[in-house]
Amino acid sequence: MDRGKPGSRMRVLPDANGLPLLVGVSADNTHDSEGLKPMVGGHQTRHDPHRGRCFKPQRLHADKAYDRADLRRGLRWKRIGVRIARKGIESSERLGRRRWVVERTMSWLSGHRRLSPRYERDSRNYLAFLGLSAAPCCFKRLVRLTT
């Protein structure tokens, strides 16, 4: 936690391929683990009425900053697998194989000129530009899959 640090932080919940499923903005002086609950809570599961299936995240990969008992319990309650490195026990090297996907997604989003230095004073405007910058990432992926 960076106490008293001004600014804002981008929160991104990507899928396994790095597509941003959910984006958010929080204060820069909040801990990473505090931003996970609203992100997972805001993610909507899809229901396929023809097959009777729900499409929800299967696993959540995260680094040691998210190692909290209440987060683990909440994810298990939602039946989401937890792959979080434990503080002092596990090395995060194995989780780094999946973590680069998140870092790549953050790099895609911060590559947009409007987002890297925050020009917007209102957080709602910044969140709107963050969502607009996530749209081309998804579109490029869709074009690559269909051609």
Side-chain angles (χ1 to χ4, degrees), residues 61-80:
H61 294 268
D63 57 4
K64 291 181 183 184
Y66 298 93
D67 185 26
R68 287 183 29 190
D70 60 330
L71 290 177
R72 288 180 184 271
R73 271 194 308 271
L75 290 169
R76 284 191 193 116
W77 185 76
K78 291 186 177 216
R79 295 185 180 155
I80 299 174

Side-chain angles (χ1 to χ4, degrees), residues 1 5-6 8 17 23 32 39 52 58 60 68-69 75 81 104 110 121 123 128 139 142-143:
M1 177 182 218
K5 187 174 180 182
S8 61
N17 296 320
V23 292
D32 288 337
M39 295 296 275
Q58 294 176 350
L60 179 91
R68 287 183 29 190
L75 290 169
R104 181 185 65 185
S110 48
R121 180 163 267 187
S123 63
F139 180 71
L142 177 68
V143 168

Side-chain angles (χ1 to χ4, degrees), residues 12 18 20 23 36 42 45 58 70 72 84 86 114 118 139:
V12 179
V23 292
L36 183 65
T45 59
Q58 294 176 350
D70 60 330
R72 288 180 184 271
I84 300 174
R86 296 180 190 272
R114 188 75 183 213
R118 181 176 169 177
F139 180 71

Side-chain angles (χ1 to χ4, degrees), residues 23-39:
V23 292
V25 178
S26 69
D28 208 9
N29 62 352
T30 58
H31 194 267
D32 288 337
S33 61
E34 294 296 324
L36 183 65
K37 280 184 185 179
M39 295 296 275

Side-chain angles (χ1 to χ4, degrees), residues 120-134:
E120 303 302 320
R121 180 163 267 187
D122 190 10
S123 63
R124 291 177 297 181
N125 293 344
Y126 185 71
L127 181 62
F129 280 116
L130 185 60
L132 284 173
S133 66

Side-chain angles (χ1 to χ4, degrees), residues 82-109:
V82 179
R83 293 288 301 139
I84 300 174
R86 296 180 190 272
K87 293 179 184 174
I89 298 174
E90 291 178 284
S91 170
S92 59
E93 291 175 4
R94 287 180 44 205
L95 290 173
R97 297 176 194 160
R98 307 264 188 217
R99 180 74 184 148
W100 71 272
V101 175
V102 178
E103 298 299 332
R104 181 185 65 185
T105 305
M106 296 295 283
S107 160
W108 286 343
L109 293 177

